[in-house]
Amino acid sequence: MTAYLIRRVLYAIPILIGVNLLTFVLFFVVNSPDNMARVHLGVKHVTPEAMAKWKRERGYDKPLVWNAAAEGVGTLSQTIFFEKSLSLFAFDFGRADDGRDIGSDIRERMWPSLAIAVPVFLIGILIEITFAMVLAFLRGTYVDLWGVVLCVILLSISSLFYIIGGQYLIGKLLNLTPISGYDTGLAAAKFIILPVVVGVVSGIGASTRLYRTIFLEEINKDYIRTARAKGLSEVRVLFHHALKNAMIPILTGVVVIIPALFLGSLILESFFGIPGLGSYTIDGIRSQDFAIVRAMVFLGSALYIVGLMLTDLSYTVVDPRVRLS
Amino acid sequence: MALWRSDTRPALIRYSLTFALFLSSTACTGSPWNNPYPASDEGRNILYSSFEERPKHLDPAQSYSSNEVAFTGQIYEPPLQYHYLLRPYTLIPLTATEVPHASYFDAQHRLLPDSAPVDRIAYSVYEIHITPGIRYQPHPAFAKGAEGRYRYHELSAGELQRVHTLADFPETDTRELLAEDYVYQIKRLAHPRLSSPIFGLMSEYIVGLREYGAVLEKAQAEAGRNGPAAYLDLTRYPLEGAVAVDRYTYRITVRGKYPQLVYWLAMPFFAPMPPEVDRFYSQPGLAQKNITLDWYPVGTGPYMLTVNNPNRQMVLERNPNFHGERYPTEGESGDRAAGLLTDAGKPLPFVDKAVYSLEKETIPYWNKFLQGYYDATGISSDSFDQAVRISGEGEVALTDQMETKGIRLVTSVETSSFYLGFNMLDPVVGGYAERAGKLRQAISIAFDDEEFISIFRNGRGTAAQGPIPPGIFGYVEGRNGINPYVYDWVDGRPRRKPIDEAKRLLAEAGYPNGRDATGKALVLHFDVTTGGPEDKFHFDWIRKQFAKLNLELEIRDTDYNRFQDKMQSGAVQLFQWGWNADYPDPENFLFLLYGPNAKVGKNGENAANYHNPEFDRLFERVKNMDNSPERQGLINQMVEIARHDAPWGWGYHPKQFTLHHAWYKNAKPNLMANNTLKYRRVEPRLRAQLRAAWNHPKVWPVAVALAIPIALVLPALIRHIRRERGAA
């Protein structure tokens, strides 16, 4: 398994270089360093000298990927791409264009993201599995039929509607929680409730349908038929036998997103004023801050790769037949 | 079998209890459950506001945008400020003892009389005297040890490790404001690491500033060998154009005559900066913790930044060392009746603390305002109909819902212009031939700004008659102030000329019925930047305006960066552009049409690339004059030239609508001043009462919502269990 993991880590390096290159190309196709300077210096009284100085101070005065004026290795290393990318592999994210340390901001902002994403993830899974099991348990009844209809309705609604509707209903009409905002420590609790409720409800439809299908597939297998033939109750069959085996595809499906929880949710955080990494990414895009965009894309890719590795590992944990080699 | 293992139950119970405890604690405090602020702040003298995006810079050498000066304006004190109530906008001293008066010198440094002709004036010298006894806010940069050495100027690695925010420095101190601090800040405008947005502009005026930038750049490069953020001690590098004369006096020398300098002296760019503060923040290690001058401002103003989390909340609290100031005792006519002089002569500031929360989206912000959690708000188009109704006569009034809540509306015309620009370098719509001028005039008549304001701005604006907005010297009201090429004066108000007049002008321009001499339809190109799908209606409306003249319009939609590039290279024909005043002087608008200030080739702010020698000649006279009837006469000539040439369709001046609650006092829009927080007053008791009345929690719908699915599932569950038991 160790050899497998080392191999996967080595595979990750070219992937991350590729992602970084792609981000770089996409960003600079629509943004020139001049545009970045203009955005940061404001639209008034911006002189070519001020723009040149801004670029020089931040290293954007060099060629993008090929420095024809340099010699030898310098043709590649004395470029914006190389200078801005190399440090990422040491997880040194550098400074945002407004001068703030990105690593420090990420460390600070990942906690609010986690404060929302972890409860949404855990409570969501719990409710979705419970709901799916109830539907599977009562398959063929009116509960199953209308439950599936409800799931289809829920997954058809835009997440933005859940957010605005949740804020209006729970925060404004019922006055139960603050509409938006955030605080630290225990005081954060009252701000977390509403986004968590919205996050959970908006995810119920799609996941419940998937889990219901997995449960139904499982309870039609031979071993379940055998269990029933032995005279076990439906509850015992479902919870003791079907659940355990159905958890294999469910767990492997959810493990991959665990590392990505750090990155938060772009829209949810923006609407609820949660100072997490999701809104940080949006801020970076809006302000054309390449340093932030690059750091967040790199971090997202790295976490996704970690998620895939964890998924592979989780296979071996939940299914003894699987061996990594 | 249980769904979760038995050992998870205590944890679940614990969480449930914690949640219940939270609910009961909020209930016991009497604070509404949806209150986003700590219950302990209920009833305190705090003002609540918001910011939409995190400020990029709080360093006074760099901060320029409105969301930045909203903070720096309360903390830093430049020598001058605008009178809060008087209009037209009037400069008064802040830390200075008086508004400085320029002395003029010729090239041989001989004193000239005030009436000296502009071409003889080689230098203008402003000597500024500051009030003794003003002290900075408490700050660790001033703290000294027993031997008189600065306590935190040489932090060890161990000390740095314990520091995470500025509050982690246990000792603070202050010192008196000195003239040298103002000089130091002027020098900082040229600092190569700061990229001050006004360095380019100021280096054209302040003697030696451009060369000073080069000197510092060289020094920075040498110091850079010791690290990229190595400290550059500006006190070692003298600047000819800014010197401290004595402890409380400093002198600024500018090239030629530049009367607008006094307006800049009311902006945070010219606020004082103690060198020891700069030294403190330049220590390696602090920047890694985001403890920089850009994020932790140090000033003498009425407030200091005590919480600086631009990702969530910024908090300003009273500066205990504030030198004191009093609420104005005079204002405009009508200010007394509006209650704006109730606090006349009372000591400032009124509120103890101002809490600014990050609120990126307008819908939650608006709802929180209605709940009483923000004291004042602008009106987004989403909520306009809910807040304001406009009668058939154009009268603006609050809706019943707002009236019931005691909300008030304040409106003011902004010192801004948004216009339709014609690129004067374009071979079709540009140029100075009579034909081209008539084409532009025809389009200006057809382009119905009143309709635009009504449809797209909910009536929040006033159609422009020229480049100068109301409230700025040079603006002429009434019949004499209308643009005679676009409007007629009918029934005591300007009325847009009929479309037939535009068609006549179009025919005279060589395009009868929108066709050229060969009979081909005239196709024009309009460059726009897309903000979102809703812009489609805007673009359709623009096409409709041109269709009135049978002109075909091709809308060239592009992103903002490309649009900027096209403007720089002059590759546009028609465009929309805007300008927000830096200071209340006509020069700040007329220079938008000054030839040497063209966008193409000069990188200036003259986006239309307009160049009329007579206009330019008059501008060069007007820009250096004090306000006087003679200046007004010259401005009138300039406006007439511009109206005739029509490089702009004059567009509109936006109108600002602000709502505030009944507990929010002294709300008078002052579009020039950025230090207005000190004048605001709130009545916390009234606010607490109304918040409690408006925000009663309603729990029963939640109970019903939870009960319904249980009630629906239960019969099926019971039936299933019975069937199973029956089968067994």
Side-chain angles (χ1 to χ4, degrees):
Chain A
M1 187 189 283
T2 311
Y4 172 81
L5 287 177
I6 291 170
R7 202 163 62 240
R8 289 298 298 268
V9 170
L10 291 175
Y11 284 161
I13 293 171
I15 293 172
L16 288 173
I17 292 174
V19 166
N20 205 18
L21 184 62
L22 199 62
T23 314
F24 184 85
V25 170
L26 287 175
F27 189 89
F28 282 102
V29 160
V30 291
N31 278 302
S32 67
D34 279 353
N35 294 139
M36 293 164 68
R38 207 178 286 129
V39 165
H40 284 271
L41 292 171
V43 290
K44 283 178 163 183
H45 310 300
V46 181
T47 60
E49 294 78 27
M51 285 166 62
K53 200 162 82 171
W54 186 93
K55 288 190 290 181
R56 196 162 54 245
E57 284 295 315
R58 287 157 183 80
Y60 289 116
D61 56 336
K62 297 188 173 65
L64 290 176
V65 287
W66 182 261
N67 190 343
E71 289 178 0
V73 187
T75 51
L76 282 174
S77 64
Q78 290 170 26
T79 59
I80 296 176
F81 177 69
F82 186 86
E83 290 187 357
K84 301 286 177 189
S85 303
L86 191 66
S87 56
L88 287 179
F89 287 87
F91 287 93
D92 173 7
F93 298 117
R95 301 201 152 266
D97 290 337
D98 62 9
R100 283 179 70 87
D101 187 73
I102 294 175
S104 176
D105 267 347
I106 288 175
R107 282 191 294 279
E108 188 184 319
R109 298 182 75 137
M110 74 180 189
W111 298 112
S113 283
L114 285 172
I116 304 294
V118 170
V120 168
F121 175 71
L122 294 177
I123 298 171
I125 283 188
L126 192 68
I127 290 177
E128 286 150 14
I129 289 177
T130 308
F131 192 21
M133 284 180 69
V134 168
L135 296 184
F137 184 68
L138 298 172
R139 62 195 173 280
T141 66
Y142 70 91
V143 173
D144 185 26
L145 174 70
W146 289 107
V148 172
V149 170
L150 180 67
C151 286
V152 173
I153 293 171
L154 287 175
L155 70 87
S156 308
I157 296 171
S158 149
S159 59
L160 202 60
F161 180 84
Y162 285 109
I163 293 170
I164 296 172
Q167 285 180 328
Y168 184 76
L169 183 70
I170 299 174
K172 191 168 178 227
L173 281 187
L174 303 182
N175 297 323
L176 295 177
T177 64
I179 288 174
S180 66
Y182 193 74
D183 210 336
T184 50
L186 275 178
K190 66 178 174 184
F191 296 102
I192 289 172
I193 295 168
L194 183 53
V196 167
V197 168
V198 167
V200 168
V201 172
S202 63
I204 284 178
S207 302
T208 302
R209 280 197 71 213
L210 174 69
Y211 299 159
R212 174 185 167 274
T213 309
I214 292 171
F215 282 128
L216 286 179
E217 194 183 326
E218 209 61 38
I219 58 177
N220 285 322
K221 286 187 174 168
D222 287 347
Y223 74 91
I224 295 290
R225 208 170 293 130
T226 309
R228 283 194 186 119
K230 278 165 62 182
L232 295 180
S233 71
E234 190 67 16
V235 174
R236 191 160 173 77
V237 167
L238 200 63
F239 284 93
H240 192 73
H241 296 279
L243 176 62
K244 205 186 250 181
N245 288 298
M247 285 308 282
I248 296 173
I250 294 175
L251 272 182
T252 50
V254 297
V255 165
V256 72
I257 60 170
I258 290 175
L261 296 178
F262 285 90
L263 297 176
S265 160
L266 302 182
I267 301 176
L268 201 72
E269 287 184 6
S270 193
F271 265 81
F272 284 104
I274 309 290
L277 290 177
S279 52
Y280 189 51
T281 312
I282 294 276
D283 287 347
I285 294 168
R286 276 185 185 165
S287 61
Q288 299 185 13
D289 194 325
F290 176 61
I292 294 176
V293 174
R294 177 197 60 192
M296 292 310 297
V297 171
F298 183 86
L299 190 64
S301 311
L303 288 172
Y304 191 69
I305 289 169
V306 171
L308 289 175
M309 287 165 68
L310 287 177
T311 307
D312 287 354
L313 290 177
S314 70
Y315 276 126
T316 64
V317 174
V318 296
D319 188 346
R321 291 169 299 179
V322 177
R323 290 277 179 276
L324 299 178
S325 59
Chain B
M1 183 193 168
L3 190 58
W4 46 77
R5 294 209 323 269
S6 59
D7 58 350
T8 62
R9 276 181 184 156
L12 198 74
I13 293 166
R14 262 203 316 274
Y15 286 127
S16 306
L17 283 175
T18 309
F19 183 62
L21 199 68
F22 154 70
L23 290 181
S24 58
S25 67
T26 50
C28 290
T29 56
S31 175
W33 291 9
N34 61 2
N35 186 354
Y37 310 113
S40 54
D41 284 351
E42 197 76 32
R44 289 185 57 197
N45 184 17
I46 300 173
L47 182 142
Y48 294 101
S49 188
S50 74
F51 58 104
E52 199 179 325
E53 57 180 297
R54 68 181 203 172
K56 282 183 194 153
H57 301 291
L58 296 178
D59 184 328
Q62 292 178 282
S63 65
Y64 198 3
S65 58
S66 55
N67 67 324
E68 294 165 354
V69 294
F71 296 103
T72 55
Q74 324 312 324
I75 298 162
Y76 289 105
E77 289 191 310
L80 307 178
Q81 64 179 337
Y82 290 96
H83 193 286
Y84 182 51
L85 300 176
L86 286 181
R87 302 290 181 278
Y89 293 104
T90 308
L91 281 175
I92 57 170
L94 180 54
T95 59
T97 54
E98 61 190 349
V99 177
H101 179 76
S103 305
Y104 303 116
F105 296 86
D106 65 12
Q108 284 72 46
H109 297 275
R110 288 180 302 226
L111 184 65
L112 297 170
D114 287 354
S115 57
V118 174
D119 52 0
R120 280 199 63 203
I121 298 173
Y123 303 103
S124 304
V125 175
Y126 292 83
E127 202 155 271
I128 300 146
H129 306 279
I130 58 167
T131 310
I134 295 173
R135 304 188 77 77
Y136 284 98
Q137 67 179 74
H139 194 276
F142 299 119
K144 288 182 177 170
E147 324 81 53
R149 290 163 62 95
Y150 285 109
R151 175 75 185 75
Y152 301 119
H153 279 211
E154 285 167 21
L155 292 170
S156 65
E159 284 175 311
L160 266 171
Q161 213 164 18
R162 289 192 292 275
V163 171
H164 300 286
T165 71
L166 206 60
D168 293 329
F169 292 98
E171 293 174 36
T172 61
D173 205 345
T174 182
R175 78 151 165 82
E176 191 184 20
L177 169 69
L178 302 175
E180 281 170 3
D181 302 338
Y182 283 99
V183 172
Y184 191 84
Q185 170 65 5
I186 295 170
K187 290 177 177 178
R188 291 183 77 244
L189 299 178
H191 198 299
R193 199 152 25 91
L194 295 179
S195 299
S196 174
I198 65 160
F199 170 65
L201 181 76
M202 283 302 140
S203 59
E204 288 174 25
Y205 293 105
I206 296 177
V207 173
L209 192 65
R210 188 184 302 281
E211 297 75 14
Y212 194 73
V215 168
L216 291 188
E217 204 150 345
K218 196 173 160 209
Q220 176 75 25
E222 284 168 13
R225 290 178 202 136
N226 302 321
Y231 173 59
L232 205 57
D233 183 4
L234 304 189
T235 57
R236 291 175 48 209
Y237 301 93
L239 169 64
E240 190 186 345
V243 289
V245 178
D246 60 37
R247 194 174 167 84
Y248 302 115
T249 309
Y250 67 103
R251 189 182 291 148
I252 301 174
T253 307
V254 296
R255 283 194 202 92
K257 188 174 179 180
Y258 185 47
Q260 289 77 24
L261 182 75
V262 287
Y263 296 117
W264 289 102
L265 294 180
M267 295 189 204
F269 291 117
F270 286 84
M273 181 55 63
E276 56 268 52
V277 167
D278 197 15
R279 173 77 187 85
F280 167 82
Y281 281 117
S282 300
Q283 293 178 85
L286 286 183
Q288 270 73 38
K289 295 165 187 283
N290 287 331
I291 301 176
T292 64
L293 187 51
D294 218 8
W295 293 102
Y296 290 96
V298 187
T300 58
Y303 293 98
M304 53 188 195
L305 195 64
T306 52
V307 175
N308 181 7
N309 184 348
N311 304 327
R312 187 173 69 82
Q313 201 169 65
M314 316 272 280
V315 177
L316 294 170
E317 288 185 72
R318 268 178 196 273
N319 170 9
N321 300 335
F322 182 52
H323 50 88
E325 204 182 335
R326 295 196 173 262
Y327 191 88
T329 52
E330 56 172 342
E332 275 187 298
S333 62
D335 282 352
R336 191 170 296 281
L340 289 165
L341 284 167
T342 308
D343 292 320
K346 290 183 183 168
L348 300 175
F350 291 118
V351 297
D352 295 334
K353 188 171 162 180
V355 175
Y356 296 82
S357 304
L358 180 65
E359 204 71 72
K360 290 185 177 180
E361 305 295 335
T362 54
I363 296 172
Y365 180 81
W366 171 248
N367 286 330
K368 281 161 88 172
F369 169 74
L370 292 181
Q371 289 176 329
Y373 296 124
Y374 288 119
D375 297 326
T377 180
I379 311 176
S380 70
S381 45
D382 294 332
S383 43
F384 189 85
D385 290 340
Q386 197 185 344
V388 174
R389 58 165 185 252
I390 299 179
S391 69
E393 294 77 44
E395 294 291 315
V396 176
L398 287 170
T399 58
D400 292 341
Q401 187 195 354
M402 300 296 116
E403 296 274 13
T404 311
K405 280 179 169 277
I407 290 170
R408 281 119 200 222
L409 172 69
V410 181
T411 65
S412 60
V413 177
E414 292 179 21
T415 47
S416 309
S417 279
F418 287 85
Y419 56 88
L420 164 71
F422 300 97
N423 180 7
M424 296 297 279
L425 303 177
D426 183 81
V428 179
V429 300
Y432 300 88
E434 194 66 18
R435 176 203 62 78
K438 286 187 172 171
L439 172 63
R440 291 191 296 270
Q441 284 172 7
I443 293 172
S444 299
I445 293 170
F447 202 90
D448 192 340
D449 295 303
E450 288 82 358
E451 191 178 274
F452 177 87
I453 293 165
S454 169
I455 295 173
F456 295 101
R457 293 196 50 83
N458 303 102
R460 286 174 291 177
T462 180
Q465 302 295 330
I468 302 174
I472 302 284
F473 181 84
Y475 176 80
V476 179
E477 273 190 75
R479 182 174 205 148
N480 294 335
I482 66 164
N483 178 358
Y485 300 96
V486 178
Y487 289 91
D488 294 317
W489 187 259
V490 180
D491 297 334
R493 57 171 59 187
R495 191 174 69 185
R496 188 168 288 273
K497 286 182 185 289
I499 197 68
D500 288 341
E501 175 67 10
K503 286 178 177 170
R504 186 186 62 78
L505 286 167
L506 191 67
E508 288 175 16
Y511 303 102
N513 204 25
R515 307 209 161 240
D516 64 15
T518 63
K520 276 173 60 182
L522 177 60
V523 182
L524 298 176
H525 304 283
F526 200 115
D527 280 88
V528 293
T529 55
T530 305
E534 68 278 6
D535 283 343
K536 184 184 175 302
F537 303 111
H538 180 196
F539 300 155
D540 287 344
W541 180 86
I542 293 174
R543 278 195 198 94
K544 208 178 104 190
Q545 305 311 301
F546 286 78
K548 290 178 197 169
L549 299 175
N550 286 328
L551 294 175
E552 284 186 28
L553 189 71
E554 188 187 316
I555 304 255
R556 295 195 293 206
D557 191 2
T558 181
D559 68 80
Y560 182 72
N561 290 334
R562 292 285 87 77
F563 179 69
Q564 288 280 356
D565 288 342
K566 284 167 118 180
M567 290 297 293
Q568 294 285 345
S569 60
V572 295
Q573 197 169 52
L574 300 162
F575 58 91
Q576 280 182 309
W577 202 261
W579 182 258
N580 192 18
D582 289 309
Y583 42 80
D585 190 273
E587 180 263 358
N588 199 231
F589 284 91
L590 295 172
F591 92 122
L592 300 173
L593 295 167
Y594 180 52
N597 197 25
K599 182 72 76 185
V600 175
K602 311 278 189 340
N603 203 44
E605 304 294 351
N606 177 357
N609 303 300
Y610 177 59
H611 176 64
N612 181 312
E614 178 61 9
F615 184 95
D616 293 349
R617 191 186 63 77
L618 290 170
F619 176 79
E620 280 154 19
R621 282 185 66 194
V622 160
K623 74 171 185 175
N624 295 320
M625 292 173 78
D626 297 320
N627 289 343
S628 62
E630 187 193 356
R631 195 184 197 207
Q632 178 71 61
L634 294 177
I635 289 171
N636 291 348
Q637 286 182 45
M638 292 173 74
V639 171
E640 166 54 25
I641 293 169
R643 282 171 177 163
H644 173 265
D645 287 347
W648 298 357
W650 298 98
Y652 66 96
H653 308 297
K655 204 181 256 185
Q656 191 184 72
F657 280 33
T658 309
L659 298 176
H660 64 86
H661 285 291
W663 58 76
Y664 187 75
K665 304 293 179 188
N666 300 334
K668 177 168 181 172
N670 186 320
L671 303 167
M672 286 296 139
N674 48 43
N675 60 348
T676 54
L677 176 62
K678 61 188 174 189
Y679 304 108
R680 310 284 191 223
R681 182 165 62 79
V682 293
E683 291 177 359
R685 284 183 61 186
L686 176 62
R687 178 170 61 193
Q689 285 166 11
L690 289 174
R691 274 185 187 173
W694 293 341
N695 296 291
H696 276 301
K698 301 176 191 78
V699 183
W700 65 265
V702 180
V704 170
L706 290 175
I708 287 173
I710 295 170
L712 289 173
V713 172
L714 214 54
L717 201 62
I718 292 167
R719 205 180 311 149
H720 188 87
I721 292 168
R722 276 186 189 153
R723 198 174 59 220
E724 202 176 88
R725 280 184 185 160

